[in-house]
Amino acid sequence: MALDELKSALPDYAKDLKLNLGSVIGNAENTGLLTQQQLWGTVLACAIATRSPRVLRELEPEAKANLKPEAYTAAKAAAAIMAMNNVYYRTRHLLSDPEYGNLRAGLRMNVIGNPGVEKVDFELWSLAVSAINGCGLCLDSHEQVLRKADVSRETVQEAFKIAAVLQAVGATLDAEAVLAE
């Protein structure tokens, strides 16, 4: 299993990451907070967002095996659109001139309106990617949509826990690969 490969690749000093990887992905289906589609869509979108070749290479086949083709494509679309939106909206928010908030974005974001899967799932994946990319405005926006759809805080938290752990695993494995050269 790819999860075991990632865990065994982590150095001893990252034991907490090994344990967390097992709990946020390996045990996530047991909590009942995420459906299988929500779990594996979040894993795939976050694996892409980490920009870690190793994390993506290990987790993508399992995500693909656990997702219907339309969900697999939608999770990749969430990672893609949020890569753009997180930069745009984070920048607009961070600039001290509030007038940028009044300007039309003029960027195409059609996939958000028609992602090919349940809106809640796409919003959850977008929130998780936004956590990795650090866009507070996007995090708030997606969290509000999820909460209005009666998604529990615990479910939202599961998504950003997956994001946090995969980001840390990716950073650690990529650093170890560089140090081993």
Side-chain angles (χ1 to χ4, degrees):
M1 179 181 195
L3 205 52
D4 293 332
E5 291 293 322
L6 282 177
K7 289 192 315 193
S8 68
L10 287 164
D12 289 341
Y13 67 80
K15 182 180 180 184
D16 289 327
L17 297 182
K18 290 180 190 186
L19 297 171
N20 289 330
L21 192 57
S23 68
V24 299
I25 297 174
N27 297 331
E29 290 173 329
N30 299 334
T31 67
L33 291 172
L34 299 177
T35 66
Q36 182 169 322
Q37 179 168 294
Q38 289 170 338
L39 168 64
W40 288 105
T42 302
V43 168
L44 179 59
C46 288
I48 293 168
T50 68
R51 297 176 182 89
S52 171
R54 176 82 186 262
V55 168
L56 182 57
R57 197 170 32 253
E58 295 291 344
L59 294 176
E60 183 275 340
E62 196 159 350
K64 191 171 192 176
N66 282 287
L67 292 169
K68 292 179 181 171
E70 58 274 10
Y72 175 81
T73 299
K76 293 193 308 180
I81 197 69
M82 296 319 296
M84 176 185 75
N85 283 359
N86 292 156
V87 171
Y88 178 81
Y89 287 105
R90 183 179 62 237
T91 300
R92 199 171 86 170
H93 177 72
L94 291 172
L95 289 170
S96 60
D97 184 347
E99 288 303 311
Y100 286 101
N102 297 324
L103 299 176
R104 184 175 151 326
L107 299 171
R108 296 203 181 268
M109 304 173 212
N110 295 329
V111 72
I112 294 172
N114 187 17
V117 294
E118 291 292 322
K119 180 91 168 135
V120 164
D121 293 355
F122 193 81
E123 289 289 334
L124 197 65
W125 303 337
S126 297
L127 176 130
V129 171
S130 297
I132 289 172
N133 292 333
C135 181
L137 198 60
C138 292
L139 282 166
D140 280 342
S141 174
H142 295 292
E143 190 267 348
Q144 288 171 11
V145 170
L146 289 164
R147 296 292 294 136
K148 283 181 186 168
D150 293 324
V151 174
S152 72
R153 285 180 178 85
E154 292 80 9
T155 298
V156 171
Q157 181 184 27
E158 283 300 306
F160 65 80
K161 282 168 52 176
I162 291 168
V165 172
L166 290 184
Q167 177 64 22
V169 168
T172 302
L173 292 177
D174 291 352
E176 286 298 315
V178 169
L179 294 173
E181 292 175 357

